[in-house]
Amino acid sequence: MSIKTEKQEQRREQILQGAAKVFARKGYHATTVEEIARELGMTKASIYYYINDKSDLLYQLYRRAMELLLDSQAEIARRAVTADLQLKAMIEEYARIVSGSHAMFSVVVLREHHALSPKRRKEIIAMRDEYEANLRACIEQGIQESTFEPTDVKMAAYVVLGALNWIPTWYNPKGERAKEEIGAIFAERLVHGLMKQGDPHGSKN
């Protein structure tokens, strides 16, 4: 990557982070490109050099968020560990990623994807569904391994995702608990609820 290209990517990332902060604070529809430019100390024309329109920023934020989560799942899936340890790792990584990119995921939680074009909305929903499908597969694997109690896999996945998706609404980067500690607590509580009674994995903590 050339120095010029690297600087452009850095500026693009800066614009995305600035947009995420303003979207999270005011909401997508109430935000203007001028306000994003003001947040970044840039001109409106400078921002349009990197994007087509405001919805392009929203799309890039959603895509970046889902890529981070899916990449983390893929890395965890390559580990030769039992389903309960995989699920714990997914939950811990979700908490770490969401807390580390708080403004971006606050926008995702607002469910502003309806503002995207039909084609882009379909793409983002497909990525979201892929993440959920991987989570369900992990729970199903745990049941097959006799690590998790037989249960409604779809509802179990909704319980896990429902808990995780609320993190951006209450997480405070200046709070008393680090994001790693929050992830460990969520992983322990959520996975424990799925464990088979008397399973040795469940008695370690």
Side-chain angles (χ1 to χ4, degrees), residues 7-40:
K7 287 184 177 179
Q8 288 177 336
E9 287 304 311
Q10 289 174 350
R11 179 52 61 91
R12 191 185 305 276
E13 181 65 26
Q14 181 186 7
I15 292 171
L16 283 178
Q17 294 304 320
K21 289 179 182 179
V22 183
F23 287 161
R25 188 165 63 239
K26 296 193 63 176
Y28 171 77
H29 293 286
T31 297
T32 64
V33 174
E34 288 89 344
E35 288 170 317
I36 296 171
R38 196 178 310 124
E39 173 80 18
L40 294 165

Side-chain angles (χ1 to χ4, degrees), residues 29-189:
H29 293 286
T31 297
T32 64
V33 174
E34 288 89 344
E35 288 170 317
I36 296 171
R38 196 178 310 124
E39 173 80 18
L40 294 165
M42 297 173 62
T43 65
K44 182 178 175 181
S46 296
I47 289 183
Y48 276 119
Y49 177 80
Y50 293 93
I51 65 169
N52 296 320
D53 52 29
K54 187 176 72 168
S55 68
D56 194 26
L57 281 171
L58 184 65
Y59 167 72
Q60 290 185 45
L61 283 171
Y62 263 99
R63 185 172 177 82
R64 178 71 56 83
M66 292 313 305
E67 284 175 344
L68 287 171
L69 293 175
L70 287 169
D71 286 349
S72 74
Q73 274 191 330
E75 191 280 325
I76 291 166
R78 289 192 289 268
R79 303 175 190 175
V81 296
T82 54
D84 58 317
L85 296 180
Q86 280 198 28
L87 185 56
K88 280 187 176 182
M90 284 185 196
I91 294 169
E92 289 169 351
E93 277 296 287
Y94 191 107
R96 183 188 66 79
I97 291 169
V98 168
S99 302
S101 302
H102 184 239
M104 179 168 65
F105 280 92
S106 293
V107 175
V108 172
V109 166
L110 291 173
R111 299 182 64 80
E112 300 277 21
H113 62 278
H114 295 291
L116 297 173
S117 67
K119 181 180 179 181
R120 286 184 162 182
R121 183 165 62 246
K122 184 177 180 180
E123 178 185 345
I124 296 304
I125 290 174
M127 296 175 79
R128 182 196 66 190
D129 290 348
E130 181 181 354
Y131 187 90
E132 181 185 327
N134 293 338
L135 191 70
R136 287 195 200 183
C138 183
I139 295 172
E140 182 64 45
Q141 179 186 336
I143 294 171
Q144 293 175 359
E145 292 173 349
S146 295
T147 301
F148 296 156
E149 289 279 4
T151 188
D152 184 324
V153 174
K154 180 179 179 180
M155 293 309 298
Y158 284 168
V159 168
V160 173
L161 291 171
L164 294 176
N165 286 338
W166 273 102
I167 292 177
T169 66
W170 56 260
Y171 174 72
N172 180 359
K174 298 180 180 179
E176 62 181 16
R177 294 189 185 277
K179 55 183 179 289
E180 293 81 8
E181 186 179 3
I182 291 171
I185 292 172
F186 268 63
E188 172 62 25
R189 297 293 183 270

